[in-house]
């Protein structure tokens, strides 16, 4: 027999009414999600992080399901020292013996045996009578108890089971030696009040109920897995079965991170401790997402990308004044570095100023107003605004604040059929002028328009384009270098439209040349404007 398998954590929990055991089944029930299979190395990686974060019981697999599952349970049993390592089995002798063999090197091992108890399962799945199921419970738990000291028994589809029969099953399992009784909501059918009533009923009616720890195991088919689990805890359950990221069959299981943080955040109404190092939650979430290739939805509670992100101007303003206005827990408690104020079209002036300060900018009132207006215009065109976008926008604003020639509008006709044509409107010293030119490509047409509107002899020495951030909607940043009479100037332009960015960059360089001419004694007014005055 495997030695006493009550973990140090579990022993402490058993002695404390306020302690809730965390039973993680990511490696077993979680892996049963279609497409979520993990190899041995990946399972060991997940098991190690579960142990490190303080999980009480790690259900490592279903040993009889495959040689790979057997090997995984066996290897995890060898490595894990602080957590109980659990193997699942059906009620048959072969399943239980295979689980016992996989766990024989465990410092603390548990066999978890289950059988269906609902009328629909007994009739259609097992094709057994209730009395036969009762006999199987006694036989399976007895055999498991001969192999390990720590035996868990589950009533599959318990929430659709006749209450009187469920009481008989639980009593028989405890009498046969089960130390943990699991009441699964296998198909995600129950609701919190009903689930709590089941635990209250069992703990009241079953004579030997005080000799076992009761456990929840809730599926999320109706989106109630976490709520049902917490209701079970409130009704006396002292173990919660859950998975990282809520991974599991169909709609998944109760999410470990949500259970842990709900109990921690609302200790005023649920005064229970889990012993989990919550600062490892974000890391565990990323590891499981990576090895299963199951992405975490952006708005997933606790570990989603947006869980600690704020874009609304009202929310951002509140967060800047006091974080508790819109956050009920700090991101650091789950291992997230910091709150993120996401800059977008809903962001307000307060958040924009704060972001500029973070980036090291201090603008005057007029520059700030212009930059904010351009930021809003950019946010309407681009889904996500990165710091680099704001830097490019403000740099351009600062660089071109005193420009005498400014782009008002630009439209392009381009494509394979040609010719490429640009129609451009500029503001020159407060006067609007319009021109249309052809070119060898759209960029050439743009630059021809500028040369026509502002005649000059400058030579284009550099034209370079790169994306400021990733994505097809990324801002383009264009660099242009113009040389005139041995003098070179460089300017940049940024815009989600590469052609607009090109025009801005060229005009920026041309404005710098005009300033140099002025400093050299050549009046800017000498640059004749050949264009249609549009006032």
């Amino acid at each position: 027999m495997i030695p006493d398998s009550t973990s140090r954590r579990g022993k402490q929990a058993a002695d404390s009414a306020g302690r809730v055991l965390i039973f993680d089944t990511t490696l077993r029930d979680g892996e049963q999600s279609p497409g979520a299979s993990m190899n041995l190395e990946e399972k060991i990686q997940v098991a190690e992080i579960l142990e490190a974060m303080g999980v009480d019981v790690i259900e490592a697999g279903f040993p009889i399901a495959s040689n790979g599952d057997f090997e995984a349970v066996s290897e995890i049993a060898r490595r894990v020292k602080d957590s109980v390592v659990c193997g699942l089995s059906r009620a048959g002798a072969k399943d239980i013996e295979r689980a016992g063999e996989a766990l024989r090197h465990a410092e603390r091992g548990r066999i978890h045996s289950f059988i269906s108890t609902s009328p629909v399962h007994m009739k259609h799945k097992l094709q057994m009578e209730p009395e036969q199921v009762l006999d199987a419970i006694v036989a399976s738990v007895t055999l498991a108890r001969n192999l390990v000291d720590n035996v868990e028994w589950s009533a599959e589809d318990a929430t659709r089971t006749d209450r009187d029969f469920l009481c008989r099953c639980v009593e028989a399992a405890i009498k046969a030696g089960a130390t943990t009784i699991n009441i699964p909501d296998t198909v995600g059918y129950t609701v919190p009040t009903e689930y709590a009533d089941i635990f209250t009923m069992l703990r009241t009616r079953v004579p030997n109920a005080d000799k076992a720890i009761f456990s929840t195991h809730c599926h999320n088919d109706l989106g109630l897995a976490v709520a049902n689990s917490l209701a079970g805890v409130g009704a006396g359950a002292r173990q919660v079965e859950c998975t990282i990221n809520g991974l599991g069959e169909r709609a998944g299981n109760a999410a470990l991170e949500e259970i842990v943080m709900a109990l921690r955040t609302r200790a005023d109404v649920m005064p229970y401790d889990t012993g989990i190092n919550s600062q490892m939650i974000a890391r565990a979430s990323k590891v499981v997402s990576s090895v299963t290739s199951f992405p975490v939805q952006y708005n997933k509670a606790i570990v989603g990308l947006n869980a600690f992100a704020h874009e609304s101007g009202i929310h951002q303003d509140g967060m800047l004044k006091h974080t508790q206005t819109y956050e009920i827990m700090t991101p650091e408690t789950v291992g997230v570095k910091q709150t993120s104020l996401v800059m977008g079209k809903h962001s307000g002036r307060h958040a924009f100023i704060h972001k500029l300060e973070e980036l090291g900018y201090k603008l005057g009132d007029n520059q700030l107003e212009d930059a904010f207006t351009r930021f809003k215009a950019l946010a309407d065109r681009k889904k996500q605004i990165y710091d680099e976008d704001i830097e490019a926008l403000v740099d351009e604003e600062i660089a071109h604040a005193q420009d005498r020639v400014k782009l008002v509008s630009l439209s392009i006709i381009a494509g394979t059929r040609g010719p490429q044509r640009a129609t451009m409107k500029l503001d020159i010293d407060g006067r609007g002028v319009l021109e249309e030119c052809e070119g060898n490509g759209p960029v050439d047409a743009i630059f021809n328009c500028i040369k026509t509107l502002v005649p000059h002899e400058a030579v284009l020495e550099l034209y370079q384009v790169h994306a400021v951030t990733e994505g097809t909607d990324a801002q383009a940043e264009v660099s242009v270098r113009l040389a005139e009479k041995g003098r070179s100037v460089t300017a940049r332009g940024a815009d989600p439209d590469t052609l607009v960015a090109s025009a801005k960059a060229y005009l920026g360089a041309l404005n710098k040349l005009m300033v140099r001419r002025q400093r050299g004694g050549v009046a800017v007014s000498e640059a004749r404007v050949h264009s249609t005055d549009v006032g």
Side-chain angles (χ1 to χ4, degrees):
M1 179 185 292
I2 296 174
D4 181 6
S5 57
T6 303
S7 70
R8 288 186 285 272
R9 297 164 181 159
K11 178 62 176 172
Q12 180 185 358
D15 294 339
S16 172
R19 179 74 153 81
V20 173
L21 294 167
I22 295 298
F23 177 114
D24 184 276
T25 184
T26 302
L27 296 173
R28 198 277 300 170
D29 202 335
E31 199 204 17
Q32 290 176 197
S33 299
S37 294
M38 295 171 255
N39 61 36
L40 177 59
E41 183 179 342
E42 291 167 338
K43 286 191 172 187
I44 291 171
Q45 182 183 4
V46 172
E48 287 175 344
I49 197 168
L50 293 176
E51 181 182 30
M53 72 189 296
V55 166
D56 297 287
V57 185
I58 299 171
E59 188 164 53
F62 195 170
I64 205 167
S66 69
N67 289 333
D69 247 33
F70 177 87
E71 184 182 3
V73 175
S74 181
E75 187 59 30
I76 291 169
R78 290 175 187 271
R79 293 175 180 243
V80 170
K81 304 301 179 186
D82 291 330
S83 303
V84 172
V85 178
C86 178
L88 184 70
S89 72
R90 292 167 297 189
K94 288 183 179 179
D95 278 50
I96 295 168
E97 289 167 355
R98 187 67 165 161
E101 185 181 354
L103 294 167
R104 63 194 178 94
H105 295 295
E107 188 166 327
R108 298 171 181 84
R110 172 185 293 186
I111 293 177
H112 178 191
S113 176
F114 72 94
I115 193 170
S116 297
T117 55
S118 68
V120 64
H121 274 223
M122 288 190 293
K123 179 179 179 180
H124 298 290
K125 176 185 169 183
L126 299 180
Q127 297 180 340
M128 294 172 65
E129 295 297 323
E131 293 304 318
Q132 292 176 298
V133 170
L134 273 171
D135 291 342
I137 293 169
V138 173
S140 60
V141 172
T142 300
L143 176 57
R145 189 59 190 264
N146 286 333
L147 299 175
V148 297
D149 289 330
N150 191 335
V151 174
E152 176 171 342
W153 176 78
S154 287
E156 186 179 11
D157 204 21
T159 55
R160 294 194 294 175
T161 296
D162 175 78
R163 300 289 178 90
D164 291 338
F165 183 62
L166 185 59
C167 285
R168 293 178 64 196
C169 291
V170 169
E171 182 180 2
I174 296 173
K175 187 176 181 180
T179 51
T180 300
I181 298 295
N182 183 34
I183 307 300
D185 184 26
T186 305
V187 293
Y189 176 74
T190 195
V191 296
T193 52
E194 181 181 58
Y195 198 50
D197 286 345
I198 293 174
F199 282 97
T200 299
M201 180 270 299
L202 291 172
R203 295 177 66 237
T204 301
R205 290 180 54 186
V206 176
N208 53 3
D210 60 326
K211 293 181 170 59
I213 294 172
F214 280 82
S215 177
T216 70
H217 181 114
C218 297
H219 280 262
N220 205 38
D221 297 70
L222 293 177
L224 295 171
V226 170
N228 288 333
S229 298
L230 294 174
V233 170
R238 288 298 175 265
Q239 175 178 284
V240 174
E241 303 192 5
C242 46
T243 61
I244 300 294
N245 298 337
L247 199 64
E249 291 189 275
R250 303 184 311 280
N253 289 270
L256 179 149
E257 60 276 4
E258 296 177 29
I259 296 291
V260 169
M261 293 312 295
L263 292 174
R264 176 170 176 162
T265 304
R266 294 308 311 274
D268 57 325
V269 293
M270 296 180 288
Y272 311 108
D273 175 53
T274 64
I276 294 292
N277 178 359
S278 65
Q279 292 181 340
M280 295 185 68
I281 283 176
R283 180 181 162 203
S285 171
K286 288 183 176 68
V287 168
V288 170
S289 177
S290 175
V291 301
T292 59
S293 297
F294 269 46
V296 177
Q297 68 191 62
Y298 280 16
N299 63 334
K300 168 74 172 64
I302 314 300
V303 293
L305 184 65
N306 290 345
F308 296 96
H310 307 266
E311 183 182 329
S312 162
I314 295 171
H315 287 214
Q316 289 177 340
D317 183 64
M319 287 293 298
L320 290 169
K321 290 172 179 174
H322 198 291
T323 57
Q324 290 185 6
T325 54
Y326 287 102
E327 283 186 354
I328 60 172
M329 66 195 94
T330 65
E332 293 83 3
T333 58
V334 299
V336 175
K337 186 177 180 182
Q338 62 185 8
T339 292
S340 173
L341 298 185
V342 179
M343 303 307 295
K345 67 179 181 179
H346 300 110
S347 298
R349 186 175 277 95
H350 190 185
F352 183 67
I353 294 171
H354 178 75
K355 176 58 71 174
L356 291 180
E357 290 173 351
E358 280 187 348
L359 297 173
Y361 293 102
K362 186 166 180 147
L363 304 183
D365 291 343
N366 290 338
Q367 281 185 318
L368 176 62
E369 192 60 35
D370 288 344
F372 184 66
T373 300
R374 294 179 61 210
F375 161 73
K376 281 289 194 177
L378 177 63
D380 278 334
R381 301 169 63 189
K382 194 173 187 292
K383 285 186 177 181
Q384 188 165 0
I385 306 296
Y386 297 90
D387 287 356
E388 294 87 347
D389 290 314
I390 296 174
E391 288 173 343
L393 181 149
V394 176
D395 286 343
E396 186 182 15
E397 178 69 28
I398 293 171
H400 303 316
Q402 304 302 319
D403 286 352
R404 301 187 66 178
V405 181
K406 298 178 181 179
L407 178 67
V408 177
S409 65
L410 173 67
S411 60
I412 303 291
I413 297 175
T416 58
R417 298 180 64 180
Q420 285 74 38
R421 181 174 291 275
T423 302
M424 175 179 288
K425 181 179 180 181
L426 297 181
D427 180 308
I428 302 177
D429 292 332
R431 185 159 55 96
V433 292
L434 185 69
E435 185 60 72
E436 184 177 308
C437 294
E438 293 183 357
N440 185 23
V443 175
D444 189 50
I446 291 168
F447 291 176
N448 286 341
C449 269
I450 295 173
K451 288 178 182 178
T452 303
L453 290 167
V454 186
H456 60 275
E457 301 299 325
V459 177
L460 179 65
E461 290 188 333
L462 172 72
Y463 172 75
Q464 192 173 65
V465 181
H466 78 274
V468 173
T469 56
E470 72 269 15
T472 55
D473 65 347
Q475 281 201 99
E477 187 173 75
V478 176
S479 297
V480 165
R481 183 165 67 236
L482 294 179
E484 182 182 61
K485 297 180 181 179
R487 294 172 297 183
S488 294
V489 293
T490 303
R492 292 182 301 171
D495 195 273
D497 188 318
T498 305
L499 298 176
V500 174
S502 300
K504 289 180 176 180
Y506 197 104
L507 287 171
L510 191 56
N511 274 293
K512 287 183 179 181
L513 280 179
M514 292 171 70
V515 170
R516 289 197 175 187
R517 288 181 198 162
Q518 197 170 23
R519 288 175 183 166
V522 180
V524 177
S525 58
E526 291 178 5
R528 293 176 293 111
V529 178
H530 294 246
S531 61
T532 303
D533 193 329
V534 292

